[in-house]
Amino acid sequence: ITCTREARLDGLVGWFEAELAAGVTMTNSPFAASPIDRRPLYLPVDPLPVAPGDAIGMRLHLSPATGAARWRVEVASADGRRRGGSDHH
Protein backbone atom coordinates (compact mmCIF):
# COMPACT_ATOMS: atom_id res chain seq x y z
CA ILE A 1 0.00 0.00 0.00
CA THR A 2 1.41 3.41 -0.89
CA CYS A 3 0.50 6.34 1.38
CA THR A 4 -1.01 9.39 -0.24
CA ARG A 5 -1.00 11.72 2.77
CA GLU A 6 0.65 12.30 6.13
CA ALA A 7 -1.08 10.37 8.91
CA ARG A 8 -0.66 7.99 11.83
CA LEU A 9 -1.09 4.29 11.07
CA ASP A 10 -2.92 2.54 13.93
CA GLY A 11 -4.00 -0.63 12.15
CA LEU A 12 -5.17 -2.29 8.96
CA VAL A 13 -8.64 -3.52 8.02
CA GLY A 14 -9.27 -6.39 5.64
CA TRP A 15 -12.32 -7.96 4.06
CA PHE A 16 -13.09 -10.25 1.16
CA GLU A 17 -15.22 -10.43 -1.95
CA ALA A 18 -15.97 -13.76 -3.58
CA GLU A 19 -17.51 -14.30 -7.02
CA LEU A 20 -19.70 -17.40 -6.66
CA ALA A 21 -20.93 -17.36 -10.26
CA ALA A 22 -21.02 -14.83 -13.07
CA GLY A 23 -22.59 -11.72 -11.55
CA VAL A 24 -23.11 -13.34 -8.11
CA THR A 25 -20.79 -12.12 -5.37
CA MET A 26 -20.67 -12.01 -1.60
CA THR A 27 -18.57 -9.69 0.54
CA ASN A 28 -18.14 -8.41 4.06
CA SER A 29 -16.81 -5.05 2.84
CA PRO A 30 -17.86 -2.17 5.09
CA PHE A 31 -18.50 -0.21 1.88
CA ALA A 32 -20.93 -2.75 0.37
CA ALA A 33 -24.65 -1.99 0.16
CA SER A 34 -25.55 -5.51 1.42
CA PRO A 35 -22.57 -7.16 3.12
CA ILE A 36 -22.83 -10.65 4.60
CA ASP A 37 -23.01 -10.90 8.38
CA ARG A 38 -19.30 -11.30 9.03
CA ARG A 39 -17.14 -8.53 10.44
CA PRO A 40 -14.07 -7.28 8.56
CA LEU A 41 -10.75 -8.14 10.18
CA TYR A 42 -9.01 -5.34 12.11
CA LEU A 43 -5.31 -5.77 12.84
CA PRO A 44 -3.98 -3.14 15.26
CA VAL A 45 -0.36 -2.02 15.07
CA ASP A 46 1.86 0.10 17.26
CA PRO A 47 1.21 3.66 16.02
CA LEU A 48 3.55 4.59 13.17
CA PRO A 49 3.79 7.96 11.39
CA VAL A 50 3.44 7.72 7.61
CA ALA A 51 4.07 10.27 4.86
CA PRO A 52 3.15 10.57 1.17
CA GLY A 53 5.06 7.98 -0.87
CA ASP A 54 5.72 5.67 2.10
CA ALA A 55 5.12 1.98 1.41
CA ILE A 56 3.22 -0.14 3.95
CA GLY A 57 3.89 -3.86 3.75
CA MET A 58 2.17 -6.57 5.77
CA ARG A 59 2.57 -10.29 6.37
CA LEU A 60 -0.30 -12.22 7.93
CA HIS A 61 -0.36 -15.81 9.13
CA LEU A 62 -3.68 -17.34 10.21
CA SER A 63 -3.94 -20.79 11.77
CA PRO A 64 -7.35 -22.30 10.94
CA ALA A 65 -6.79 -25.10 13.48
CA THR A 66 -6.29 -22.78 16.45
CA GLY A 67 -7.72 -19.47 15.27
CA ALA A 68 -4.40 -17.82 16.12
CA ALA A 69 -3.11 -14.92 14.05
CA ARG A 70 0.30 -13.32 13.67
CA TRP A 71 1.05 -10.20 11.63
CA ARG A 72 3.92 -7.89 10.91
CA VAL A 73 3.68 -4.44 9.39
CA GLU A 74 6.66 -2.53 7.94
CA VAL A 75 6.78 1.07 6.76
CA ALA A 76 9.47 2.19 4.30
CA SER A 77 10.06 5.62 2.82
CA ALA A 78 9.76 6.22 -0.92
CA ASP A 79 13.54 5.68 -1.26
CA GLY A 80 13.33 2.29 0.51
CA ARG A 81 14.63 3.25 3.96
CA ARG A 82 12.87 1.47 6.83
CA ARG A 83 10.79 3.94 8.86
CA GLY A 84 9.29 1.53 11.40
CA GLY A 85 7.54 -1.71 12.03
CA SER A 86 5.16 -3.57 14.30
CA ASP A 87 5.01 -7.30 15.10
CA HIS A 88 1.98 -8.95 16.78
CA HIS A 89 0.80 -12.42 17.74
Side-chain angles (χ1 to χ4, degrees):
I1 300 168
T2 301
C3 297
T4 58
R5 63 186 172 107
E6 191 170 311
R8 184 180 80 185
L9 174 66
D10 292 309
L12 299 171
V13 177
W15 56 87
F16 78 96
E17 179 173 310
E19 183 175 22
L20 305 175
V24 179
T25 61
M26 71 176 188
T27 182
N28 66 336
S29 168
F31 304 108
S34 299
I36 64 169
D37 189 20
R38 180 166 274 199
R39 293 181 301 188
L41 177 65
Y42 174 69
L43 300 171
V45 300
D46 299 332
L48 297 166
V50 294
D54 283 356
I56 301 171
M58 195 240 335
R59 287 182 171 248
L60 172 64
H61 175 79
L62 299 172
S63 173
T66 65
R70 181 180 185 137
W71 62 98
R72 176 156 186 78
V73 174
E74 293 279 340
V75 176
S77 62
D79 64 4
R81 288 180 292 129
R82 185 179 185 276
R83 291 182 42 116
S86 184
D87 194 12
H88 299 271
H89 45 78

Coordinates of all heavy atoms in Angstrom, one line a residue:
I1 N 0.9 -1.2 0.0 CA 0.0 0.0 0.0 C 0.9 1.2 0.0 O 1.8 1.3 0.8 CB -0.9 0.0 1.3 CG1 -1.8 -1.2 1.3 CG2 -1.7 1.3 1.3 CD1 -2.5 -1.4 2.6
T2 N 0.6 2.2 -0.9 CA 1.4 3.4 -0.9 C 0.6 4.5 -0.3 O -0.6 4.8 -0.6 CB 1.8 3.8 -2.3 OG1 2.5 2.7 -2.9 CG2 2.6 5.1 -2.4
C3 N 1.2 5.2 0.7 CA 0.5 6.3 1.4 C 0.4 7.5 0.5 O 1.3 7.8 -0.3 CB 1.3 6.8 2.6 SG 1.4 5.5 3.8
T4 N -0.8 8.2 0.6 CA -1.0 9.4 -0.2 C -1.0 10.7 0.6 O -1.1 11.7 0.0 CB -2.4 9.3 -1.0 OG1 -3.4 9.1 0.0 CG2 -2.3 8.1 -1.9
R5 N -1.0 10.5 1.9 CA -1.0 11.7 2.8 C -0.3 11.4 4.1 O -0.1 10.3 4.5 CB -2.4 12.2 3.0 CG -3.3 11.3 3.7 CD -4.7 11.8 3.8 NE -5.6 10.8 4.4 CZ -6.1 10.9 5.6 NH1 -5.9 11.9 6.4 NH2 -6.9 9.9 6.0
E6 N 0.0 12.5 4.8 CA 0.7 12.3 6.1 C -0.4 11.9 7.1 O -1.5 12.4 7.1 CB 1.3 13.6 6.6 CG 2.1 13.5 7.8 CD 2.9 14.8 8.1 OE1 3.5 15.3 7.1 OE2 2.8 15.2 9.2
A7 N -0.1 10.9 8.0 CA -1.1 10.4 8.9 C -0.4 9.5 10.0 O 0.9 9.4 9.9 CB -2.1 9.5 8.2
R8 N -1.2 8.9 10.9 CA -0.7 8.0 11.8 C -1.4 6.7 11.6 O -2.6 6.6 11.5 CB -1.0 8.4 13.3 CG -0.4 7.5 14.3 CD -0.7 8.0 15.7 NE -2.0 7.5 16.0 CZ -2.7 7.9 17.1 NH1 -2.1 8.6 18.0 NH2 -3.9 7.5 17.3
L9 N -0.6 5.6 11.3 CA -1.1 4.3 11.1 C -1.3 3.6 12.4 O -0.4 3.4 13.2 CB -0.1 3.5 10.2 CG -0.4 2.0 10.0 CD1 -1.7 1.9 9.1 CD2 0.7 1.4 9.3
D10 N -2.6 3.2 12.7 CA -2.9 2.5 13.9 C -3.3 1.1 13.7 O -3.4 0.3 14.6 CB -4.1 3.2 14.6 CG -3.7 4.6 15.1 OD1 -2.7 4.7 15.9 OD2 -4.4 5.6 14.8
G11 N -3.6 0.7 12.4 CA -4.0 -0.6 12.2 C -4.4 -0.8 10.7 O -4.5 0.2 10.0
L12 N -4.7 -2.0 10.3 CA -5.2 -2.3 9.0 C -6.5 -3.1 9.1 O -6.7 -3.8 10.0 CB -4.1 -3.1 8.2 CG -2.8 -2.5 8.0 CD1 -1.8 -3.5 7.5 CD2 -2.8 -1.3 7.1
V13 N -7.4 -2.8 8.1 CA -8.6 -3.5 8.0 C -8.7 -4.3 6.7 O -8.3 -3.8 5.7 CB -9.8 -2.5 8.0 CG1 -11.1 -3.2 7.9 CG2 -9.8 -1.7 9.3
G14 N -9.2 -5.5 6.8 CA -9.3 -6.4 5.6 C -10.6 -7.0 5.5 O -11.3 -7.3 6.5
W15 N -11.1 -7.3 4.3 CA -12.3 -8.0 4.1 C -12.2 -8.7 2.8 O -11.1 -8.7 2.1 CB -13.5 -7.0 4.0 CG -13.3 -5.9 3.0 CD1 -13.7 -5.9 1.6 CD2 -12.8 -4.6 3.2 NE1 -13.4 -4.8 1.0 CE2 -12.8 -3.9 1.9 CE3 -12.2 -3.9 4.3 CZ2 -12.4 -2.6 1.8 CZ3 -11.8 -2.7 4.1 CH2 -11.9 -2.0 2.9
F16 N -13.2 -9.5 2.4 CA -13.1 -10.2 1.2 C -14.3 -10.0 0.3 O -15.4 -9.6 0.7 CB -12.9 -11.7 1.5 CG -14.2 -12.4 1.8 CD1 -15.0 -13.1 0.9 CD2 -14.7 -12.3 3.1 CE1 -16.2 -13.7 1.2 CE2 -15.9 -12.9 3.5 CZ -16.6 -13.6 2.5
E17 N -14.1 -10.4 -1.0 CA -15.2 -10.4 -1.9 C -15.0 -11.7 -2.8 O -13.9 -11.9 -3.2 CB -15.2 -9.2 -2.9 CG -16.3 -9.3 -3.9 CD -16.4 -8.0 -4.7 OE1 -16.4 -6.9 -4.1 OE2 -16.5 -8.1 -5.9
A18 N -16.1 -12.5 -2.8 CA -16.0 -13.8 -3.6 C -17.0 -13.8 -4.7 O -18.2 -13.4 -4.5 CB -16.2 -14.9 -2.7
E19 N -16.6 -14.1 -5.9 CA -17.5 -14.3 -7.0 C -17.9 -15.8 -7.1 O -17.1 -16.7 -7.3 CB -16.9 -13.9 -8.4 CG -17.8 -14.0 -9.5 CD -17.3 -13.5 -10.8 OE1 -16.0 -13.5 -11.0 OE2 -18.1 -13.1 -11.7
L20 N -19.2 -16.0 -6.7 CA -19.7 -17.4 -6.7 C -20.1 -17.9 -8.0 O -20.0 -19.1 -8.3 CB -20.9 -17.4 -5.7 CG -20.6 -16.9 -4.3 CD1 -21.9 -16.9 -3.5 CD2 -19.5 -17.7 -3.6
A21 N -20.6 -17.0 -8.9 CA -20.9 -17.4 -10.3 C -20.9 -16.0 -11.0 O -20.8 -15.0 -10.4 CB -22.3 -18.0 -10.3
A22 N -21.0 -16.1 -12.3 CA -21.0 -14.8 -13.1 C -22.1 -13.9 -12.5 O -23.3 -14.2 -12.5 CB -21.2 -15.1 -14.5
G23 N -21.7 -12.7 -12.0 CA -22.6 -11.7 -11.5 C -23.1 -12.0 -10.1 O -23.9 -11.2 -9.6
V24 N -22.7 -13.0 -9.5 CA -23.1 -13.3 -8.1 C -21.9 -13.3 -7.2 O -21.0 -14.1 -7.3 CB -23.7 -14.7 -8.0 CG1 -24.2 -15.0 -6.6 CG2 -24.9 -14.9 -9.0
T25 N -21.9 -12.3 -6.3 CA -20.8 -12.1 -5.4 C -21.3 -12.0 -3.9 O -22.5 -11.8 -3.7 CB -20.0 -10.8 -5.7 OG1 -20.8 -9.7 -5.5 CG2 -19.4 -10.9 -7.1
M26 N -20.4 -12.3 -3.0 CA -20.7 -12.0 -1.6 C -19.4 -11.3 -1.0 O -18.3 -11.6 -1.5 CB -21.0 -13.3 -0.8 CG -19.9 -14.2 -0.6 SD -20.6 -15.6 0.4 CE -19.1 -16.4 0.8
T27 N -19.7 -10.4 -0.1 CA -18.6 -9.7 0.5 C -18.9 -9.3 2.0 O -20.1 -9.2 2.3 CB -18.2 -8.4 -0.3 OG1 -17.1 -7.8 0.3 CG2 -19.4 -7.5 -0.4
N28 N -17.9 -9.0 2.7 CA -18.1 -8.4 4.1 C -17.5 -7.0 4.1 O -17.3 -6.5 5.1 CB -17.6 -9.3 5.2 CG -16.1 -9.4 5.1 OD1 -15.4 -9.3 4.1 ND2 -15.5 -9.8 6.3
S29 N -17.4 -6.4 2.9 CA -16.8 -5.1 2.8 C -17.7 -4.1 3.6 O -18.9 -4.1 3.4 CB -16.7 -4.6 1.4 OG -16.4 -3.2 1.3
P30 N -17.1 -3.2 4.4 CA -17.9 -2.2 5.1 C -18.4 -1.1 4.1 O -19.3 -0.4 4.5 CB -16.9 -1.5 6.1 CG -15.5 -1.8 5.5 CD -15.7 -3.1 4.7
F31 N -18.0 -1.2 2.9 CA -18.5 -0.2 1.9 C -19.6 -0.8 1.0 O -20.2 -0.1 0.2 CB -17.4 0.3 1.0 CG -16.2 0.9 1.8 CD1 -15.0 0.2 1.9 CD2 -16.4 2.1 2.4 CE1 -14.0 0.8 2.6 CE2 -15.4 2.7 3.1 CZ -14.2 2.0 3.3
A32 N -19.9 -2.1 1.2 CA -20.9 -2.8 0.4 C -22.3 -2.4 0.8 O -22.6 -2.1 2.0 CB -20.8 -4.3 0.5
A33 N -23.2 -2.3 -0.1 CA -24.6 -2.0 0.2 C -25.3 -3.1 1.0 O -26.1 -2.8 1.9 CB -25.4 -1.8 -1.1
S34 N -25.0 -4.4 0.7 CA -25.6 -5.5 1.4 C -24.5 -6.5 1.8 O -24.4 -7.6 1.2 CB -26.6 -6.2 0.5 OG -27.6 -5.3 0.2
P35 N -23.6 -6.2 2.8 CA -22.6 -7.2 3.1 C -23.1 -8.4 3.9 O -24.2 -8.3 4.5 CB -21.7 -6.3 4.0 CG -22.6 -5.3 4.6 CD -23.6 -5.0 3.6
I36 N -22.4 -9.5 3.8 CA -22.8 -10.7 4.6 C -22.6 -10.3 6.1 O -21.8 -9.4 6.4 CB -22.1 -11.9 4.2 CG1 -20.6 -11.8 4.4 CG2 -22.4 -12.3 2.7 CD1 -19.8 -13.1 4.3
D37 N -23.1 -11.1 6.9 CA -23.0 -10.9 8.4 C -21.7 -11.5 8.9 O -21.7 -12.5 9.7 CB -24.2 -11.5 9.1 CG -24.3 -11.1 10.6 OD1 -23.7 -10.1 10.9 OD2 -25.0 -11.8 11.3
R38 N -20.6 -10.9 8.5 CA -19.3 -11.3 9.0 C -18.5 -10.0 9.1 O -18.3 -9.3 8.1 CB -18.7 -12.3 8.1 CG -17.3 -12.8 8.6 CD -16.8 -14.0 7.9 NE -17.4 -15.1 8.6 CZ -16.9 -16.3 8.4 NH1 -16.0 -16.6 7.6 NH2 -17.5 -17.3 9.1
R39 N -17.9 -9.8 10.3 CA -17.1 -8.5 10.4 C -15.8 -8.5 9.6 O -15.2 -9.6 9.5 CB -16.8 -8.3 11.9 CG -18.0 -8.1 12.8 CD -17.5 -7.9 14.2 NE -16.8 -9.1 14.6 CZ -16.4 -9.3 15.9 NH1 -16.6 -8.4 16.8 NH2 -15.8 -10.4 16.2
P40 N -15.4 -7.4 9.1 CA -14.1 -7.3 8.6 C -13.0 -7.5 9.7 O -13.3 -7.4 10.8 CB -14.0 -5.8 8.1 CG -15.4 -5.4 7.9 CD -16.2 -6.1 9.0
L41 N -11.8 -7.9 9.3 CA -10.8 -8.1 10.2 C -10.0 -6.9 10.5 O -9.6 -6.2 9.5 CB -9.8 -9.2 9.6 CG -8.6 -9.5 10.4 CD1 -8.9 -10.2 11.7 CD2 -7.7 -10.5 9.5
Y42 N -9.8 -6.5 11.7 CA -9.0 -5.3 12.1 C -7.8 -5.8 12.8 O -7.8 -6.6 13.7 CB -9.8 -4.4 13.1 CG -8.9 -3.3 13.6 CD1 -8.5 -2.3 12.7 CD2 -8.5 -3.3 14.9 CE1 -7.7 -1.2 13.2 CE2 -7.7 -2.2 15.4 CZ -7.3 -1.2 14.5 OH -6.5 -0.2 14.9
L43 N -6.6 -5.4 12.3 CA -5.3 -5.8 12.8 C -4.6 -4.5 13.4 O -4.1 -3.7 12.6 CB -4.4 -6.4 11.8 CG -5.0 -7.7 11.2 CD1 -4.2 -8.1 10.0 CD2 -5.1 -8.8 12.2
P44 N -4.6 -4.3 14.7 CA -4.0 -3.1 15.3 C -2.5 -3.2 15.1 O -1.9 -4.3 15.1 CB -4.4 -3.2 16.7 CG -4.7 -4.6 17.0 CD -5.2 -5.2 15.7
V45 N -1.8 -2.1 15.1 CA -0.4 -2.0 15.1 C 0.1 -0.9 16.0 O -0.7 0.0 16.4 CB 0.2 -1.7 13.7 CG1 -0.2 -2.8 12.7 CG2 -0.2 -0.4 13.1
D46 N 1.3 -1.0 16.5 CA 1.9 0.1 17.3 C 1.8 1.3 16.4 O 2.2 1.3 15.2 CB 3.3 -0.2 17.7 CG 3.4 -1.4 18.6 OD1 2.4 -1.8 19.3 OD2 4.4 -2.1 18.5
P47 N 1.3 2.5 16.9 CA 1.2 3.7 16.0 C 2.5 4.0 15.3 O 3.6 4.0 15.9 CB 0.8 4.8 17.0 CG 0.1 4.0 18.1 CD 0.9 2.7 18.2
L48 N 2.4 4.2 14.0 CA 3.6 4.6 13.2 C 3.2 5.8 12.3 O 2.1 5.8 11.7 CB 3.9 3.4 12.2 CG 4.3 2.1 12.8 CD1 4.3 1.0 11.8 CD2 5.7 2.3 13.4
P49 N 4.1 6.8 12.3 CA 3.8 8.0 11.4 C 4.1 7.5 10.0 O 5.0 6.8 9.7 CB 4.8 9.0 11.9 CG 5.9 8.3 12.5 CD 5.3 7.0 13.1
V50 N 3.2 8.0 9.0 CA 3.4 7.7 7.6 C 3.4 9.0 6.8 O 2.7 10.0 7.3 CB 2.4 6.7 7.0 CG1 2.6 5.3 7.7 CG2 1.0 7.2 7.3
A51 N 4.0 9.1 5.7 CA 4.1 10.3 4.9 C 3.8 9.9 3.4 O 3.9 8.7 3.0 CB 5.5 10.9 5.0
P52 N 3.4 10.9 2.6 CA 3.2 10.6 1.2 C 4.3 9.8 0.5 O 5.5 10.2 0.7 CB 3.0 12.0 0.5 CG 2.5 12.8 1.7 CD 3.2 12.3 2.9
G53 N 4.0 8.8 -0.2 CA 5.1 8.0 -0.9 C 5.6 6.8 0.0 O 6.2 5.9 -0.6
D54 N 5.3 6.8 1.3 CA 5.7 5.7 2.1 C 5.0 4.4 1.6 O 3.9 4.4 1.2 CB 5.4 5.9 3.6 CG 6.3 6.9 4.3 OD1 7.3 7.3 3.6 OD2 6.1 7.2 5.5
A55 N 5.7 3.3 1.8 CA 5.1 2.0 1.4 C 4.8 1.2 2.7 O 5.7 1.1 3.6 CB 6.1 1.2 0.5
I56 N 3.6 0.7 2.8 CA 3.2 -0.1 3.9 C 3.1 -1.6 3.5 O 2.4 -1.9 2.5 CB 1.8 0.3 4.5 CG1 1.9 1.7 5.0 CG2 1.4 -0.6 5.7 CD1 0.5 2.3 5.3
G57 N 3.9 -2.4 4.1 CA 3.9 -3.9 3.8 C 3.4 -4.7 4.9 O 3.6 -4.3 6.1
M58 N 2.7 -5.8 4.7 CA 2.2 -6.6 5.8 C 2.3 -8.0 5.5 O 2.1 -8.4 4.3 CB 0.7 -6.2 6.0 CG 0.2 -6.7 7.3 SD -1.2 -7.9 7.4 CE -2.1 -7.7 6.0
R59 N 2.6 -8.8 6.5 CA 2.6 -10.3 6.4 C 1.6 -10.8 7.4 O 1.6 -10.3 8.6 CB 3.9 -10.9 6.7 CG 4.9 -10.7 5.6 CD 6.2 -11.4 5.9 NE 7.1 -11.4 4.8 CZ 7.4 -12.5 4.1 NH1 7.0 -13.7 4.5 NH2 8.2 -12.4 3.1
L60 N 0.7 -11.7 7.0 CA -0.3 -12.2 7.9 C -0.3 -13.7 7.9 O -0.3 -14.3 6.8 CB -1.7 -11.7 7.5 CG -2.9 -12.3 8.2 CD1 -2.9 -11.9 9.7 CD2 -4.2 -11.7 7.5
H61 N -0.3 -14.4 9.1 CA -0.4 -15.8 9.1 C -1.5 -16.1 10.0 O -1.6 -15.7 11.2 CB 0.9 -16.4 9.7 CG 0.8 -17.9 9.9 ND1 0.9 -18.8 8.9 CD2 0.5 -18.6 11.0 CE1 0.8 -20.0 9.3 NE2 0.5 -19.9 10.6
L62 N -2.5 -16.9 9.5 CA -3.7 -17.3 10.2 C -3.6 -18.9 10.4 O -3.3 -19.6 9.4 CB -5.0 -17.0 9.5 CG -5.2 -15.5 9.3 CD1 -6.4 -15.2 8.4 CD2 -5.4 -14.8 10.6
S63 N -3.9 -19.4 11.5 CA -3.9 -20.8 11.8 C -5.4 -21.2 11.9 O -6.0 -21.0 12.9 CB -3.2 -21.2 13.0 OG -3.3 -22.5 13.3
P64 N -6.0 -21.9 10.9 CA -7.3 -22.3 10.9 C -7.6 -23.3 12.1 O -8.7 -23.3 12.7 CB -7.6 -23.0 9.6 CG -6.5 -22.5 8.7 CD -5.4 -22.2 9.6
A65 N -6.6 -24.1 12.4 CA -6.8 -25.1 13.5 C -7.0 -24.5 14.9 O -7.8 -24.9 15.7 CB -5.6 -26.1 13.5
T66 N -6.2 -23.4 15.1 CA -6.3 -22.8 16.5 C -7.0 -21.4 16.5 O -7.3 -20.9 17.6 CB -4.9 -22.6 17.0 OG1 -4.2 -21.6 16.2 CG2 -4.1 -23.9 17.1
G67 N -7.1 -20.8 15.3 CA -7.7 -19.5 15.3 C -6.7 -18.4 15.6 O -7.0 -17.2 15.7
A68 N -5.4 -18.8 15.8 CA -4.4 -17.8 16.1 C -4.0 -17.0 14.9 O -4.1 -17.5 13.8 CB -3.2 -18.6 16.7
A69 N -3.6 -15.8 15.1 CA -3.1 -14.9 14.0 C -1.8 -14.3 14.5 O -1.6 -14.0 15.6 CB -4.2 -13.9 13.7
R70 N -1.0 -14.0 13.5 CA 0.3 -13.3 13.7 C 0.5 -12.4 12.5 O 0.3 -12.8 11.3 CB 1.5 -14.3 13.8 CG 2.8 -13.6 14.0 CD 3.9 -14.5 14.1 NE 5.1 -13.8 14.4 CZ 6.0 -14.1 15.3 NH1 5.9 -15.2 16.0 NH2 7.0 -13.4 15.6
W71 N 0.8 -11.1 12.7 CA 1.0 -10.2 11.6 C 2.2 -9.3 11.9 O 2.5 -9.0 13.1 CB -0.2 -9.4 11.3 CG -0.8 -8.6 12.4 CD1 -0.6 -7.2 12.5 CD2 -1.6 -8.9 13.5 NE1 -1.2 -6.7 13.6 CE2 -1.9 -7.8 14.3 CE3 -2.1 -10.2 13.9 CZ2 -2.6 -7.8 15.4 CZ3 -2.9 -10.2 15.1 CH2 -3.1 -9.0 15.8
R72 N 2.8 -8.8 10.8 CA 3.9 -7.9 10.9 C 3.7 -6.8 9.9 O 3.3 -7.1 8.7 CB 5.2 -8.6 10.7 CG 6.4 -7.6 10.6 CD 7.7 -8.3 11.0 NE 8.8 -7.3 11.1 CZ 9.0 -6.5 12.1 NH1 8.2 -6.6 13.1 NH2 10.0 -5.7 12.1
V73 N 3.9 -5.6 10.3 CA 3.7 -4.4 9.4 C 5.0 -3.7 9.3 O 5.6 -3.5 10.4 CB 2.5 -3.5 9.9 CG1 2.5 -2.3 9.0 CG2 1.2 -4.3 9.9
E74 N 5.4 -3.3 8.1 CA 6.7 -2.5 7.9 C 6.3 -1.3 7.1 O 5.5 -1.3 6.2 CB 7.7 -3.3 7.2 CG 8.3 -4.5 7.9 CD 9.4 -4.1 8.9 OE1 10.0 -3.1 8.7 OE2 9.6 -4.9 9.8
V75 N 6.9 -0.2 7.5 CA 6.8 1.1 6.8 C 8.1 1.5 6.2 O 9.1 1.5 7.0 CB 6.2 2.2 7.6 CG1 6.1 3.5 6.9 CG2 4.8 1.8 8.1
A76 N 8.2 1.7 4.9 CA 9.5 2.2 4.3 C 9.2 3.5 3.5 O 8.1 3.7 3.0 CB 10.0 1.1 3.3
S77 N 10.2 4.4 3.6 CA 10.1 5.6 2.8 C 10.1 5.4 1.3 O 10.4 4.3 0.9 CB 11.2 6.6 3.2 OG 12.4 6.1 2.9
A78 N 9.8 6.4 0.5 CA 9.8 6.2 -0.9 C 11.1 5.8 -1.5 O 11.2 5.1 -2.5 CB 9.3 7.5 -1.6
D79 N 12.2 6.1 -0.8 CA 13.5 5.7 -1.3 C 14.0 4.3 -0.7 O 15.1 3.9 -0.8 CB 14.6 6.8 -1.0 CG 14.8 7.0 0.5 OD1 14.2 6.3 1.4 OD2 15.6 7.9 0.8
G80 N 13.1 3.6 0.0 CA 13.3 2.3 0.5 C 13.9 2.2 1.9 O 14.1 1.1 2.4
R81 N 14.1 3.3 2.6 CA 14.6 3.3 4.0 C 13.5 2.8 4.9 O 12.4 3.3 4.8 CB 15.2 4.6 4.4 CG 16.5 5.0 3.8 CD 17.0 6.3 4.2 NE 16.1 7.4 3.7 CZ 15.5 8.3 4.4 NH1 15.8 8.4 5.7 NH2 14.7 9.2 3.9
R82 N 13.8 1.9 5.8 CA 12.9 1.5 6.8 C 12.5 2.6 7.8 O 13.4 3.2 8.4 CB 13.4 0.3 7.6 CG 12.4 -0.3 8.6 CD 13.1 -1.5 9.3 NE 12.1 -2.2 10.2 CZ 11.8 -1.8 11.4 NH1 12.4 -0.8 11.9 NH2 10.9 -2.5 12.1
R83 N 11.2 2.9 7.9 CA 10.8 3.9 8.9 C 10.3 3.4 10.2 O 10.2 4.1 11.2 CB 9.7 4.8 8.2 CG 10.3 5.6 7.1 CD 9.2 6.5 6.4 NE 8.3 7.1 7.4 CZ 8.2 8.4 7.7 NH1 8.9 9.2 7.0 NH2 7.4 8.9 8.6
G84 N 9.8 2.1 10.2 CA 9.3 1.5 11.4 C 8.6 0.2 11.1 O 8.4 -0.1 10.0
G85 N 8.2 -0.4 12.2 CA 7.5 -1.7 12.0 C 6.8 -2.1 13.3 O 7.0 -1.5 14.3
S86 N 6.0 -3.1 13.2 CA 5.2 -3.6 14.3 C 4.9 -5.1 14.1 O 4.5 -5.5 13.0 CB 3.9 -2.8 14.3 OG 3.1 -3.1 15.4
D87 N 5.2 -5.9 15.2 CA 5.0 -7.3 15.1 C 4.0 -7.7 16.2 O 4.2 -7.4 17.3 CB 6.4 -8.0 15.3 CG 6.4 -9.4 15.0 OD1 5.5 -9.9 14.3 OD2 7.4 -10.1 15.3
H88 N 3.0 -8.5 15.8 CA 2.0 -9.0 16.8 C 1.7 -10.4 16.6 O 1.7 -11.0 15.5 CB 0.7 -8.1 16.6 CG 0.9 -6.7 16.7 ND1 0.8 -6.1 17.9 CD2 1.3 -5.7 15.9 CE1 1.1 -4.8 17.8 NE2 1.4 -4.5 16.6
H89 N 1.3 -11.0 17.7 CA 0.8 -12.4 17.7 C 0.0 -12.7 19.0 O 0.0 -11.9 19.9 CB 1.9 -13.5 17.6 CG 3.1 -13.2 18.4 ND1 3.2 -13.5 19.7 CD2 4.3 -12.7 18.1 CE1 4.4 -13.2 20.2 NE2 5.1 -12.7 19.2

